[in-house]
Amino acid sequence: MTDLVTVGDATLRFSPPRGERIETAAGFDAHVGGPESNVAVAATTLGLDAAWLSKLPDTPLGRRVVGELRRHGVRTGVVWAGSGRASTAFVERGGAAGARTVPDRDGAAVATAAAEDLPLGVVREANTLFVSGATPARSETLLETTATLFSVAGEADTTRAFDTRFGATGLDADQARDLYDHLLDDVDVLVVDEADAEAVFGLDGDVVPAAHNLRTRYDCTTVVVTRKEYRHPTVGLHGGEIHEVSPFAVETRDPAGVHDAFVGGFLAGRQRNTSVKEALRQGAATAALKRTIVGDVVVGSPDDVAAIRDDRE
């Protein structure tokens, strides 16, 4: 069995040197990033067998995406399209005021990925399936594909995990809520940022009641609420248990992909049947490691994550 299968897009991201602007940069570094691919890399860093499924054009850019993920140890199940393109973006990094991302994803091949295009046997044989809200928001086709994937996973007793990622959907709050309502009754593990809970569901104030509200609304087994301010503790609800885990203090070199690293670390912890609290701690330590690394993904080993945890303990 595959420990973790993620399904979604991966963007080839071009960044000028740290602190420089797109308008004036003479060169750009290339990184591959996306919620599902980043989560797969984080899980692989922690020793899981992770696979990423998607649809890409059979072009140098599409092959670059696959090659980079494989270099991180992620297995890939890609449908090679004869049309469409790879998603790209130009991303300014560092602390420059007004730093921005300029996405260029229209016409991407992934938007046409139907369920029958993907290796559903991998989903059936996986321990956990993960999709973020950014994927079903891309097209009606991907919305129905995601719904089918959750149905297939449910029939096979594969744990279904979903991260709302409202800011990455490009939808307004009402549209996003409709999308979530279409999918989340079939989700076992829900990750939602505090800002998403406020903007989409109108749940402000104490995050614990907000988590209870979402767990009741969608009948999820586990709800994890990450925080707008990363220094605040992450909250997890599971059964009758409520857990709060504070972040690990590290110097931030690059905030890109930190949330995804947390999700990958948390899912890796649950895969190993640790308690929800211990999985939250592993997620927090994985996120802290990512903060020290430039790029979209966390690179290292289980020992690097353990060193962050042991330092505080």
Side-chain angles (χ1 to χ4, degrees), residues 17 23 58-59 95 110 116 122 128 135 144 150 162 184 187 191 200 212 225 264 287 290 294 302 313:
E23 292 96 323
D58 191 4
T59 64
V110 70
E116 56 268 24
V122 177
T128 301
T135 292
E144 293 311 312
F150 282 156
F162 186 85
L184 294 189
V187 166
V191 181
V200 178
H212 274 298
V225 182
K290 172 60 199 71
V294 175
E313 294 171 354

Side-chain angles (χ1 to χ4, degrees), residues 60-196:
L61 295 185
R63 293 191 292 273
R64 167 64 186 261
V65 170
V66 167
E68 185 154 334
L69 292 179
R70 288 177 176 172
R71 281 191 290 275
H72 289 296
V74 175
R75 293 192 291 113
T76 59
V78 171
V79 178
W80 294 108
S83 60
R85 53 185 293 270
S87 296
T88 60
F90 290 85
V91 183
E92 291 175 342
R93 298 185 182 277
R100 78 215 114 148
T101 296
V102 181
D104 184 14
R105 302 186 178 101
D106 291 345
V110 70
T112 65
E116 56 268 24
D117 291 334
L118 302 173
L120 297 181
V122 177
V123 174
R124 293 187 182 97
E125 295 173 359
N127 182 277
T128 301
L129 167 69
F130 172 77
V131 183
S132 83
T135 292
R138 292 289 294 274
S139 67
E140 285 294 328
T141 298
L142 278 176
L143 175 59
E144 293 311 312
T145 296
T146 304
T148 300
L149 290 171
F150 282 156
S151 177
V152 168
E155 292 171 358
D157 291 328
T158 296
T159 298
R160 298 157 295 182
F162 186 85
D163 181 0
T164 55
R165 289 299 296 262
F166 172 54
T169 64
L171 305 176
D172 64 32
D174 290 339
Q175 292 171 323
R177 189 163 53 251
D178 288 343
L179 182 146
Y180 299 147
D181 284 344
H182 187 72
L183 298 172
L184 294 189
D185 285 337
D186 290 328
V187 166
D188 305 301
V189 179
L190 174 62
V191 181
V192 56
D193 190 76
E194 179 183 12
D196 293 5

Side-chain angles (χ1 to χ4, degrees), residues 18 36 55 156 223 250 288-289:
R18 188 177 176 87
E36 292 87 1
K55 187 174 185 178
V223 174
V250 295
L289 177 61

